Amino acid sequence: MAARIETMTETNSPAILVENLSKTYGSGSSAVQALKDASMYVQPGEVVGLLGPSGSGKTTLLQCLGAILDPSGGRISLGGDVLFENGWQYSDRRALRRDRIGFIFQRPYLIPFLDATENIAVLPMLQGQSNKQAYQRAAELLETLGISHRAGARIEQLSGGEQQRVAIARALANQPPIILADEPTAPLDSDRAMAVLQLLHEMAAKSSTAIIVVTHDENIIPVFKRLYRLRDGVLHEEKGEGRPFDYLEKQSAAS
C-alpha cells in the first residue's frame, strides 16, 4: 500500500487518539475478542497509566498502538496523523516505529556486546544521523538520567536500575513523540521503580512526549492523574490521584 497519512485539522490534536479499536483472534466459534471498541487519548507531555489483570488486553492494545499487531477495526491517530483506519495508512511501519514511537519493556533487552553509549547511539545511527551526532545524543541522555559515569560500561557491568535507565535513554534517543512502556518498573524495587517513573514524568514534561505506562504496581498508581483500566477487552477511563512524588516517598518511608 502506498504511504498515505490523513492529517486532522485540529491544532491541538492528542498525541495518541484511539477510536473504537477492536482486535479479534481466530474466527468462528473459537474467536476471542481481545479489544472491544476501545477508545482513549493521551495529550503531549502527559503520562497515563494503563491497568488491568493478566489477559485483559493490555499488551494487545500496546502492540496495536506500536504498529506491531494489526487491529481488526477502529482508528489510530498519532499527532493528528491517521495511521490505521480499515488498514494501515503508513507503508513503512518499521520507519514509523523507529522515528515516532519509543518502546520500554519489562526487561531492558540491551545488546550485550555493546556498551551503554553504543546501545543508545545505535538508534540515531539507523535514523541516518552521523556517528558524532548519535554519540552526542547518547551522552546527553546518559547525563540527564544520571548515569554518565557508566557510559563505557558493558551491560553485564550495570545494575538492574542502570540497565533500565539505559533502556529509557534508548527509547528517547530519536526524540519520539510517543513512548509505550510495558511494565517498565516490574523488575525493580520500590525505590528504583519510583525513580524510573519520576524520570518518565520529567522526560514527558521536558520533551512534550506522550507516555503510556502499563503497570500492576500499586505503589506507583497514585502518581497518575489519568488512568485507563482494561476489563475483558473493554477500556474504562478513570481519574487518578495525581499525587506528587515527594508525598509518595514520605508514605513509603513511613511504612
Side-chain angles (χ1 to χ4, degrees):
M1 181 190 298
R4 181 175 72 84
I5 298 178
E6 178 185 342
T7 302
M8 297 171 66
T9 57
E10 290 86 344
T11 55
N12 16 343
S13 301
I16 303 171
L17 180 62
V18 179
E19 300 169 277
N20 303 315
L21 198 69
S22 64
K23 176 60 183 178
T24 301
Y25 294 99
S27 59
S29 59
S30 62
V32 176
Q33 197 168 6
L35 292 175
K36 303 173 184 176
D37 294 327
S39 296
M40 71 182 301
Y41 72 92
V42 186
Q43 297 288 5
E46 187 179 24
V47 183
V48 168
L50 178 59
L51 316 178
S54 296
S56 61
K58 300 186 305 298
T59 298
T60 295
L61 176 57
L62 237 60
Q63 289 183 346
C64 288
L65 293 179
I68 296 171
L69 194 63
D70 294 337
S72 302
R75 174 170 165 152
I76 300 172
S77 304
L78 301 184
D81 296 335
V82 176
L83 301 183
F84 182 90
E85 187 175 26
N86 300 317
W88 292 103
Q89 309 300 307
Y90 203 103
S91 60
D92 190 347
R93 280 188 277 163
R94 288 178 297 180
L96 168 67
R97 290 190 291 267
R98 182 193 66 209
D99 298 338
R100 299 186 64 178
I101 304 170
F103 295 90
I104 304 172
F105 305 100
Q106 290 184 37
R107 299 179 62 185
Y109 294 112
L110 301 172
I111 302 172
F113 54 84
L114 300 180
D115 64 28
T117 300
E118 292 165 340
N119 264 279
I120 301 165
V122 68
L123 275 183
M125 289 179 188
L126 288 173
Q127 198 182 40
Q129 295 185 32
S130 67
N131 287 9
K132 182 180 179 180
Q133 290 173 318
Y135 275 85
Q136 182 177 350
R137 175 65 176 158
E140 291 171 354
L141 288 168
L142 289 169
E143 179 69 31
T144 299
L145 294 171
I147 50 172
S148 57
H149 61 292
R150 306 294 276 155
R154 296 284 179 177
I155 302 311
E156 69 273 10
Q157 298 172 320
L158 300 173
S159 68
E162 289 171 338
Q163 289 185 23
Q164 196 67 329
R165 288 178 180 233
V166 173
I168 291 171
R170 179 184 59 192
L172 294 166
N174 286 343
Q175 298 179 295
I178 310 295
I179 289 182
L180 306 176
D182 192 359
E183 299 198 52
T185 65
L188 305 177
D189 60 39
S190 57
D191 289 341
R192 286 175 176 168
M194 196 62 69
V196 165
L197 194 63
Q198 188 166 7
L199 284 169
L200 290 177
H201 276 77
E202 290 171 356
M203 293 297 101
K206 182 178 180 180
S207 305
S208 295
T209 306
I211 302 178
I212 297 176
V213 179
V214 173
T215 186
H216 286 110
D217 190 341
E218 294 291 336
N219 293 321
I220 68 173
I221 289 174
V223 166
F224 299 105
K225 293 181 180 179
R226 281 201 313 119
L227 302 164
Y228 286 93
R229 194 179 298 269
L230 263 169
R231 300 188 187 96
D232 300 321
V234 179
L235 197 59
H236 305 269
E237 183 179 1
E238 300 178 5
K239 184 177 180 180
E241 295 181 44
R243 294 282 190 175
F245 284 96
D246 57 355
Y247 170 87
L248 296 177
E249 288 167 359
K250 290 174 184 176
Q251 291 292 100
S252 178
S255 61

